[in-house]
Amino acid sequence: MTSSQADVSDLESTAVPFFPIPRAPGCPLDPAPELAALQERAPLVRVRLWDGSTPWLVTRHAEQCALLSDRRVSADWMQSGYPFHSQFLQDHHEEGQFLTAMEGPEHLRLRRMIARPFTPRIVEQLRPTVQQVVDDHIDALLAGPKPADFVAAFALPIPSMVICHVLGVPYEDHDFFHRAIRTVTSSDVPDDVVSKSGGELYRYLAQLIGRKLDDPDDDLLSQLATERLATGQLNRHELVMLVLFLLVSGHETTASMIALGTLALLLHPDQIAVLKDADGPEVAAAVDELLRYLTTVQPGRRRVAVEDIEIAGQLIRAGEGLILPEEIGNRDESVFPGAGVLDLRRDAGRHLAFGFGVHKCTGQPLARLELQVVFAALFRRIPTLALAVDLGDLPFMDDGLGYGVKEMPVSW
Ligand code: HEM
């Protein structure tokens, strides 16, 4: 038996809580020391989850990449042994499958249908629009009262407007869908409230699809409705689930990166100086380093082995669950020396913040563009930007499927 193979005492000592997302005491941007300690101990360790199940936690970058791209590993949450994040997801998983929880030809078929507007070439055409949205929000911030909530005034509306533009969702309905998205991605909201908000979002999008069929526009929803739904390549439920997933993915993920990226920079003023001098490719590299350092999509990719797999001297049996927390893969010293340091000049290109393998983020060119435009402009236009409260008073979002900050009062 290797040192990382499970026995009962191992399991007890590695029972890492996943909600709220564990962080280092006093350093809310660093992963919990317990997770880092597991990485030092072995590439794979057993952990005990909320339901008593004992999936493998894959701690290191190399094994995370190998397993996320292994065809014997499945993201399909219908497979027995899938390590669910929560009781709620386990209870409701049969109601609808999202792209990230599909595998094989079905996954590829749907992924291809949405790919086009997110290809780097098409995304690049959006640069002037994104620049305008960012400039307008900086102008509005500067013209508004101080202190301002950076999340409500800047970090959330920018990705929201951009994804609404790409999908063809009316931004004027944002009060409704921001609240509903926040509810469905939280884990501390009562189940009936989550179900109600999910249902409202579903009906809202189903109605919108009807309107797009009658009166199509130049957006992804109209294209999917007229070319895929009308021709029977997608049914209405599949289309609603697909668009719902895109709308949710396009919001909190990028908003969290804008808010936490700004916070990380405010805590590292030397890095703001690096950013102010940076040209286009250097800003792109800086964004990758922020993505690596922060890894906001937490706590970990979830997978299940569908065949026996031997890796790093360990046998993973078919039917055993896997959790792959990129936040510690991205802090692996063997790939990113001095990984705990935010260094915007490093080559962070191998980070896993967008996942790895067949499920790697479809929207990453769009997210990258938004982050590049934001971080190239923000500190040049507002060089005196500062937190208006103590770090310890910030309300972090650690109860959902991503790490973020609910409010961030700033001044300048
Ligand atoms: C900084 C922002 C973002 C981060 C950190 C992020 C992160 C991720 C990660 C880690 C995955 C992999 C999930 C898995 O393997 O289980 C993923 C998948 C995905 N993301 Fe993103 N994402 C971001 C922005 C976006 C945006 C703007 C969109 C566009 C709507 C988007 C659409 C998707 C889609 C469609 C998938 C599913 C791909 C598949 O399963 O084939 N994401 N994202």
Side-chain angles (χ1 to χ4, degrees), residues 212-231:
K212 297 281 177 185
L213 271 174
D214 294 339
D215 186 14
D217 211 335
D218 184 19
D219 54 53
L220 182 60
L221 235 177
S222 299
Q223 187 221 319
L224 290 170
T226 55
E227 293 174 20
R228 307 290 187 172
L229 178 65
T231 57

Side-chain angles (χ1 to χ4, degrees), residues 81-102:
Y82 183 92
F84 284 97
H85 290 84
S86 64
Q87 178 82 58
F88 179 81
L89 282 179
Q90 185 169 57
D91 290 348
H92 293 265
H93 74 279
E94 287 180 1
E95 288 167 16
Q97 232 172 334
F98 293 111
L99 204 56
T100 38
M102 292 178 177

Side-chain angles (χ1 to χ4, degrees), residues 78-220:
M78 299 291 181
Q79 296 274 351
S80 121
Y82 183 92
F84 284 97
H85 290 84
S86 64
Q87 178 82 58
F88 179 81
L89 282 179
Q90 185 169 57
D91 290 348
H92 293 265
H93 74 279
E94 287 180 1
E95 288 167 16
Q97 232 172 334
F98 293 111
L99 204 56
T100 38
M102 292 178 177
E103 280 297 356
E106 189 55 10
H107 166 249
L108 269 184
R109 180 177 80 91
L110 295 179
R111 191 174 158 110
R112 284 201 188 113
M113 283 189 195
I114 56 162
R116 194 165 177 277
F118 301 109
T119 52
R121 192 177 59 82
I122 304 282
V123 163
E124 194 49 40
Q125 294 170 7
L126 284 176
R127 192 175 282 272
T129 309
V130 174
Q131 186 70 58
Q132 191 62 58
V133 171
V134 170
D135 289 345
D136 289 349
H137 281 82
I138 294 178
D139 291 344
L141 201 61
L142 288 171
K146 292 191 250 185
D149 175 12
F150 188 77
V151 175
F154 193 81
L156 184 58
I158 291 172
S160 182
M161 276 189 175
V162 174
I163 194 66
C164 283
H165 173 79
V166 173
L167 294 180
V169 172
Y171 182 72
E172 50 275 23
D173 298 337
H174 65 271
D175 279 346
F176 157 69
F177 56 74
H178 284 175
R179 206 176 35 249
I181 289 172
R182 179 61 58 85
T183 306
V184 296
T185 53
S186 292
S187 72
D188 69 344
V189 177
D191 292 358
D192 56 328
V193 180
V194 174
S195 295
K196 186 167 171 277
S197 285
E200 284 167 2
L201 261 181
Y202 188 99
R203 283 188 294 281
Y204 169 80
L205 291 172
Q207 280 170 9
L208 187 58
I209 287 164
R211 298 212 299 274
K212 297 281 177 185
L213 271 174
D214 294 339
D215 186 14
D217 211 335
D218 184 19
D219 54 53
L220 182 60

Side-chain angles (χ1 to χ4, degrees), residues 16-17 22-23 25 31-39:
V16 178
R23 310 303 299 180
E34 293 94 317
L35 282 178
L38 291 181
Q39 184 180 64

Side-chain angles (χ1 to χ4, degrees), residues 8 21 42 63 70 129 134 156 178 227 243 262 278-279 307 337 347:
V8 173
I21 294 166
E63 283 75 19
D70 191 316
T129 309
V134 170
L156 184 58
H178 284 175
E227 293 174 20
V243 177
T262 302
D279 62 14
E307 290 177 34
D347 176 4

Side-chain angles (χ1 to χ4, degrees), residues 68 75 99-102 107 111 114 118 163 167 245-247 249-251 253-255 257 291 296-297 301-303 326 352-356 358-364 366-368 370-371:
L68 284 171
L99 204 56
T100 38
M102 292 178 177
H107 166 249
R111 191 174 158 110
I114 56 162
F118 301 109
I163 194 66
L167 294 180
F245 183 77
L246 287 172
L247 188 65
S249 309
H251 271 90
T253 49
T254 317
M257 266 308 300
L291 284 158
T296 50
V297 176
R301 303 301 93 231
R302 304 291 164 127
R303 300 290 191 265
E326 297 101 330
L352 305 173
F354 289 120
F356 195 81
V358 288
H359 289 281
K360 191 163 180 177
C361 180
T362 318
Q364 57 165 309
L366 183 61
R368 282 203 154 97
E370 293 176 45
L371 296 172

Side-chain angles (χ1 to χ4, degrees), residues 106 109-110 233-242:
E106 189 55 10
R109 180 177 80 91
L110 295 179
Q233 295 174 55
L234 271 180
N235 65 41
R236 202 169 278 258
H237 176 67
E238 283 176 324
L239 179 53
V240 176
M241 293 301 282
L242 204 51

